[in-house]
Amino acid sequence: MTEQYVLDLQEIDGGQVAVAGGKGAHLGELSRIEGIGVPDGFCVTTDAFRRIMADAPSIDDRLDRLSRVNQDDREAIRTLSAEIRRTIEGITIPGDLAAAITRALAERGEQAAYAVRSSATAEDLPTASFAGQQDTYLNVVGPTAVLQHVSRCWASLFTERAVTYRQRGGLDHRSVRMAVVVQRMVFPHAAGVLFTADPVSGNRKVATVDAGFGLGEALVSGLVNPDVLKVREGEVVAKAIAAKQRAVHALPAGGTQEVAIDSRRQEEPALTDAQVVRLVQLGRRIEAHFGGPQDIEWCLVDDDFQIVQSRPITTLFPIPETGDQENHVYVSVGHQQMMTDPMRPLGLSIWQLTAMAPMHEAGGRLFVDVTRRLASPASRAGLLDVIGRGDPLVRDALQTVLDRGDLVPALPDAGPDGPPGAGGVSAPIETDPAIVTELIERSQMSIAALERDIRTKTGPALFDFLSEAFEEHKRVLSDPLSMQAVMAGMEATWWLNDKLQEWLGEKNAADTLTLSAPDNVTSEMGLALLDVADVIRPHPEVVAFLRSVGVEDEGFLDDLAKLAGGIEARDAIEAYLDRYGMRCVGEIDITRPRWRERPTTLVPVILDNVRNFEPGAAERRFEQGRQKAQEKEQDVLSRLRALPDGDRKADETKRMIDRVRTFIGYREYPKYGIVSRSFLYKQALLAEAERLVQAGVLPEKEDIFYLTFQELHDVVRSQQVDDRLIQRRKDAFRSYHALTPPRVLTSDGEAVTGAYRRDDVPAGALIGLPVSAGTIEGRARVILDLAEADLEPGDILVTTFTDPSWSPLFVGITGLVTEVGGLMTHGAVIAREYGLPAVVGVERATRLIRDGQRIRVHGTDGYVEILP
């Protein structure tokens, strides 16, 4: 095939990223849209870049070294990338390549001014914009200067920032190539950026225009504050005109310079309202052509708009696909389930198939549509009450949407959808511990039956069996008695907190009354790991061996048996894994590695327990908590009896204390049952995947994680798989990690965050939700990965979210701060069980609190102070 070094923009379409890079392909596609003006130009293709790189063998060695450099080693990246750039800029452009470029210039006017712009094959993609990672040169005059700047663009593929961006995104430096776009320079009256969706709120119906005088570089480089205008449905709905003191203009001989703007013009709008509306109409046409919201660079020349760039906005959270044009309001499932990370397709689909409410996927996360519940006054009140008790930020976000009055229709009564347990008050149930015993036995019998029956199923028969198992899963989950028991514990907690604040002026009194409640499988899990530490502590050889265990040493349990005391240590860990090995961080995603699959995850926590505790700590801690709860009960009841009508109040409170202690521990059990069942599904599906690998259908068994349950069923039946689909899913999953899921999302794409709206906290304090009473001061340990925990007595855990798998850490800390959480989520329940002051729902806590800082956690009042 003959190499093509130069292509006119009109010859290029959006599918030619490999030839023209992201920018070139987009500009070529833009020039094909009717009514869109694009400055004339051409593209120096990636063939030319490949030719140049082939002329510099020394670059290969440096690329090898660069690929081995740690992404945090800034100095090594800086040195190597500078060497590569110097080498590329030093290569003489071969004669035939130079001639092809100068011919293209001659056709357009050799001495005209040009913009010379980098166009890498890994930029302006749907999942990574790479905006500003490579270089652009404006007002380049003459063939010699153009050739020189083409070389600079090639070299800019290896700027330090571009190299770092690729490494963080998991892109191989060799897989990326550089094309260069050369366009006739335009000299605009005004220029700027148009976002066809609001980049802050995410609202797809609101376009935002940033505008300034002169060239757009003044805005992009942050030299001036732009005018900012917002347009909705053809009308300017918001406008902020900035004092634009400077602009960037082109110089006659080439290059650009900053100029001061006449003081009388500084506060003039750069565009009229009519021009802004016309620009947005052009933007909507471009958006429709590319099939998604766009970040568009524009210039205004003689009242005509020229488009010089359009790229996807990659930071917007996607909207669930519904196939209708109706308005929808969605609530995040991840914020309820303490798992806001993205899930892989198999995890998403199995959760959807076993959930109690219809769930919609977007950005690798799940959402429940609450529009119908909000539309009816009766169901709206119940939904807002339950959600508000759990997470005030979600309630406030929903109230914000309701107050605007433009999204939620008015309906006479609600539909069946909504988050599980978001209904009104449950039917009454006796305060009888035998109910909890019966429920746990029922669950254990159902899991034992699943474990027995699933063993014999393979191939398509396994999927038929699992479809029935999912129905049994939902039946167990929706067992009326189980739901009544869960609600009884929660409602008794709310009653105690409300009434004891009203009668005694005491906040969150239930927190102490629920200490060491019986039948809490999650708090037992944390205490049981203290017992494992007791077995290990007397054996120095075992402790020393465990300190040497790395994350990848998955066979360490077999090696333990060779050491003095190792058999006892191994048996203790194995027994723990038999009971709790189905758990892990982010456990609602079936594809996450379980402790049984990766037991090294537990080693740092076991070692912390060996170091920080004395023998018998588990039993002592449980008994101390039980005694504190008992003392609190006696204290509360005696104070109530001293009040007017005190005997009635004390009797009612006693009934509620008995009720909360009977049922609150069971709150954690349904999740334990779900995760136990899910691990059995996973083991069966992985065995099936192993057969697909043996048959040559799949390269790796974990590839099944990137297929939905139904797609995997089809693969097993047909013994064929679409490799490209799996690769696309892997790329998408990687990109979803950069997105922050909103608590509330609308069908317009607006992410509604909600606010606490409190004025009773000190200035500078971080506001959250009080979920476990008490005040504690100590060292903040910001931990994002359980396997990296390294705790000392007195530490306060600060993390994004905690699910039950974090509870083994709770025995070794004195307080808890999380970014996500509610009053009845797992971290809150276990914090109360262990008597740890805790504040959850603290926005950006892991970024605002530095590891090692001293903080004070106000678990009763719901805020955190960062101490000097």
Side-chain angles (χ1 to χ4, degrees):
M1 191 181 78
T2 327
E3 291 187 321
Q4 276 191 296
Y5 294 137
V6 171
L7 287 173
D8 279 0
L9 285 181
Q10 284 75 14
E11 297 178 78
I12 299 167
D13 63 39
Q16 289 176 278
V17 172
V19 174
K23 190 173 288 155
H26 269 223
L27 284 167
E29 193 66 36
L30 276 167
S31 66
R32 293 161 174 256
I33 306 173
E34 193 179 337
I36 302 298
V38 176
D40 180 34
F42 60 90
C43 182
V44 182
T45 67
T46 53
D47 283 346
F49 176 75
R50 203 177 287 113
R51 168 93 177 267
I52 289 293
M53 293 293 275
D55 286 349
S58 66
I59 288 177
D60 263 357
D61 170 56
R62 292 193 176 104
L63 284 176
D64 285 339
R65 283 157 57 200
L66 196 56
S67 66
R68 292 194 296 269
V69 167
N70 185 303
Q71 65 182 29
D72 296 319
D73 188 346
R74 301 289 297 274
E75 191 52 46
I77 291 172
R78 187 177 298 125
T79 304
L80 278 168
S81 54
E83 287 174 16
I84 295 170
R85 285 199 308 278
R86 277 197 302 275
T87 305
I88 294 172
E89 287 188 38
I91 297 168
T92 304
I93 298 178
D96 57 336
L97 175 48
I101 296 170
T102 51
R103 251 195 324 275
L105 290 171
E107 288 167 15
R108 291 166 175 80
E110 275 193 359
Q111 294 307 312
Y114 291 90
V116 183
R117 314 172 70 195
S118 306
S119 179
T121 53
E123 69 175 358
D124 299 346
L125 305 180
T127 57
S129 78
F130 277 74
Q133 297 309 312
Q134 283 91 37
D135 291 346
T136 286
Y137 301 97
L138 299 178
N139 201 30
V140 180
V141 179
T144 305
V146 169
L147 289 170
Q148 182 188 23
H149 285 86
V150 167
S151 285
R152 286 185 183 171
C153 283
W154 287 330
S156 76
L157 191 63
F158 297 98
T159 60
E160 184 189 343
R161 64 181 183 274
V163 166
T164 304
Y165 195 103
R166 283 197 295 275
Q167 284 186 315
R168 292 192 190 285
L171 282 166
D172 176 13
H173 301 301
R174 292 175 191 279
S175 68
V176 184
R177 305 197 185 284
M178 180 67 84
V180 181
V181 173
V182 181
Q183 282 177 288
R184 281 292 292 262
M185 187 72 192
V186 293
F187 301 99
H189 156 75
V193 181
L194 158 64
F195 297 96
T196 63
D198 188 318
V200 178
S201 73
N203 195 322
R204 300 332 193 246
K205 289 187 177 174
V206 176
T208 301
V209 175
D210 289 5
F213 293 124
L215 292 166
E217 288 304 287
L219 266 59
V220 175
S221 64
L223 183 64
V224 297
N225 290 326
D227 297 342
V228 180
L229 300 98
K230 294 186 186 292
V231 175
R232 185 181 179 120
E233 293 169 352
E235 186 183 341
V236 176
V237 293
K239 188 192 308 190
I241 305 302
K244 300 170 286 296
Q245 296 172 337
R246 306 191 71 71
V248 173
H249 284 179
L251 291 168
T256 60
Q257 72 170 20
E258 288 178 30
V259 296
I261 296 174
D262 185 304
S263 59
R264 288 165 298 184
R265 287 190 61 221
Q266 286 179 5
E267 297 197 24
E268 274 181 24
L271 297 177
T272 66
D273 284 9
Q275 286 171 329
V276 170
V277 170
R278 180 153 51 93
L279 173 61
V280 171
Q281 286 168 347
L282 294 176
R284 293 286 178 222
R285 193 177 299 178
I286 294 167
E287 177 183 66
H289 183 87
F290 285 116
Q294 298 288 300
D295 162 357
I296 297 167
E297 294 175 27
W298 56 268
C299 297
L300 180 66
V301 186
D302 300 329
D303 202 38
D304 271 339
F305 285 105
Q306 294 280 303
I307 305 301
V308 294
Q309 177 62 298
S310 183
R311 61 172 73 89
I313 307 176
T314 59
T315 54
L316 297 175
F317 200 87
I319 306 170
E321 289 179 18
T322 56
D324 63 37
Q325 298 301 308
E326 302 297 314
N327 290 335
H328 297 273
V329 180
Y330 302 99
V331 170
S332 162
V333 173
H335 285 81
Q336 271 196 331
Q337 292 294 335
M338 297 301 92
M339 195 343 226
T340 52
D341 291 345
M343 296 167 69
R344 293 175 183 85
L346 187 63
L348 288 164
S349 64
I350 289 180
W351 192 264
Q352 286 172 306
L353 288 165
T354 53
M356 299 308 301
M359 293 192 175
H360 306 265
E361 184 272 335
R365 278 78 166 190
L366 291 169
F367 294 86
V368 171
D369 187 343
V370 295
T371 320
R372 289 184 64 81
R373 296 203 112 183
L374 290 174
S376 153
S379 60
R380 180 192 310 149
L383 176 72
L384 291 177
D385 180 50
V386 172
I387 276 183
R389 285 181 181 276
D391 188 337
L393 291 177
V394 176
R395 182 196 171 114
D396 187 75
L398 290 175
Q399 193 63 56
T400 300
V401 171
L402 286 167
D403 290 347
R404 290 204 301 245
D406 59 348
L407 259 177
V408 180
L411 292 177
D413 54 32
D417 50 0
V425 176
S426 59
I429 181 177
E430 289 299 311
T431 302
D432 180 0
I435 293 172
V436 173
T437 307
E438 181 194 339
L439 286 168
I440 290 173
E441 282 173 2
R442 274 192 213 173
S443 175
Q444 287 172 339
M445 284 171 61
S446 174
I447 291 164
L450 173 65
E451 190 168 9
R452 181 189 66 236
D453 297 342
I454 203 169
R455 283 185 193 140
T456 58
K457 306 295 187 291
T458 61
L462 169 65
F463 288 83
D464 295 338
F465 173 80
L466 282 172
S467 295
E468 291 175 22
F470 294 164
E471 293 308 308
E472 167 68 2
H473 183 124
K474 287 198 275 193
R475 192 195 64 71
V476 170
L477 210 53
S478 61
D479 179 342
L481 189 64
S482 177
M483 295 174 87
Q484 285 174 306
V486 169
M487 287 309 294
M490 289 164 64
E491 285 164 357
T493 304
W494 297 337
W495 189 95
L496 286 166
N497 280 337
D498 290 348
K499 291 297 184 185
L500 295 180
Q501 182 158 9
E502 180 189 333
W503 292 337
L504 298 175
E506 188 170 336
K507 288 182 182 176
N508 301 331
D511 294 359
T512 310
L513 294 165
T514 53
L515 286 171
S516 298
D519 300 312
N520 188 320
V521 69
T522 307
S523 64
E524 287 165 7
M525 179 170 74
L527 296 173
L529 207 59
L530 286 175
D531 292 336
V532 172
D534 284 356
V535 175
I536 289 167
R537 193 179 291 107
H539 305 292
E541 216 179 319
V542 171
V543 175
F545 171 75
L546 289 177
R547 286 200 185 111
S548 72
V549 168
V551 181
E552 303 302 320
D553 299 339
E554 294 305 345
F556 81 96
L557 287 171
D558 296 331
D559 297 333
L560 262 181
K562 302 165 192 167
L563 307 172
I567 291 173
E568 298 96 302
R570 183 197 62 193
D571 291 350
I573 295 172
E574 285 285 1
Y576 186 86
L577 291 171
D578 286 344
R579 180 142 168 76
Y580 304 111
M582 77 295 287
R583 309 221 84 147
C584 69
V585 173
E587 61 191 9
I588 70 168
D589 181 357
I590 197 173
T591 72
R592 290 283 191 108
R594 310 283 131 177
W595 290 344
R596 170 52 81 188
E597 296 168 308
R598 197 175 287 172
T600 53
T601 307
L602 293 172
V603 170
V605 192
I606 293 170
L607 288 170
D608 281 348
N609 289 350
V610 167
R611 186 175 71 242
N612 296 334
F613 291 94
E614 296 294 320
E619 192 178 340
R620 274 198 310 279
R621 287 194 58 137
F622 188 81
E623 184 54 31
Q624 284 164 1
R626 200 184 62 75
Q627 283 181 11
K628 270 190 198 168
Q630 212 166 12
E631 288 162 12
K632 184 69 175 176
E633 176 181 330
Q634 289 163 357
D635 168 59
V636 162
L637 296 178
S638 65
R639 284 158 63 200
L640 285 171
R641 287 197 178 96
L643 298 175
D645 198 16
D647 286 345
R648 179 189 63 81
K649 288 172 180 169
D651 290 347
E652 279 185 34
T653 301
K654 172 61 176 158
R655 280 200 301 276
M656 282 300 174
I657 291 172
D658 291 347
R659 196 166 176 76
V660 84
R661 291 196 67 80
T662 299
F663 292 117
I664 201 64
Y666 180 72
R667 164 77 180 78
E668 292 292 298
Y669 204 87
K671 181 79 171 281
Y672 177 76
I674 290 170
V675 177
S676 299
R677 297 179 72 88
S678 296
F679 190 36
L680 294 171
Y681 308 151
K682 180 182 188 179
Q683 288 171 308
L685 291 171
L686 281 175
E688 203 58 45
E690 189 58 54
R691 284 186 275 276
L692 291 171
V693 171
Q694 298 297 328
V697 178
L698 283 177
E700 299 176 6
K701 62 181 183 179
E702 282 81 11
D703 283 350
I704 66 165
F705 296 161
Y706 297 93
L707 298 170
T708 65
F709 180 76
Q710 186 56 54
E711 288 166 349
L712 179 53
H713 189 179
D714 294 342
V715 169
V716 168
R717 212 168 28 221
S718 68
Q719 294 290 293
Q720 290 182 312
V721 71
D722 182 348
D723 296 329
R724 288 167 307 173
L725 173 67
I726 288 176
Q727 190 53 53
R728 281 200 306 275
R729 294 272 177 79
K730 287 180 178 179
D731 293 342
F733 178 68
R734 195 182 299 118
S735 75
Y736 292 154
H737 281 89
L739 299 173
T740 302
R743 281 178 165 82
V744 171
L745 178 67
T746 74
S747 48
D748 289 347
E750 186 177 4
V752 192
T753 50
Y756 284 108
R757 307 192 191 283
R758 287 172 53 189
D759 53 11
D760 59 341
V761 298
L766 309 180
I767 302 175
L769 180 65
V771 296
S772 185
T775 301
I776 196 74
E777 193 175 302
R779 179 179 72 150
R781 290 308 323 272
V782 180
I783 297 173
L784 303 179
D785 182 348
L786 189 69
E788 292 172 8
D790 180 16
L791 296 167
E792 298 290 342
D795 283 349
I796 296 168
L797 174 62
V798 180
T799 190
T800 319
F801 56 80
T802 60
D803 57 13
S805 70
W806 286 79
S807 61
L809 283 192
F810 284 26
V811 298
I813 58 175
T814 56
L816 174 70
V817 179
T818 68
E819 294 181 347
V820 176
L823 196 60
M824 284 295 168
T825 49
H826 306 279
V829 171
I830 305 307
R832 289 195 290 273
E833 282 275 319
Y834 289 166
L836 303 173
V839 180
V840 301
V842 180
E843 294 279 85
R844 300 188 304 128
T846 59
R847 281 165 281 182
L848 296 172
I849 299 170
R850 290 197 313 277
D851 187 49
Q853 274 186 317
R854 286 194 70 75
I855 61 172
R856 188 180 296 130
V857 177
H858 295 262
T860 308
D861 296 312
Y863 64 91
V864 179
E865 290 179 282
I866 298 175
L867 302 175

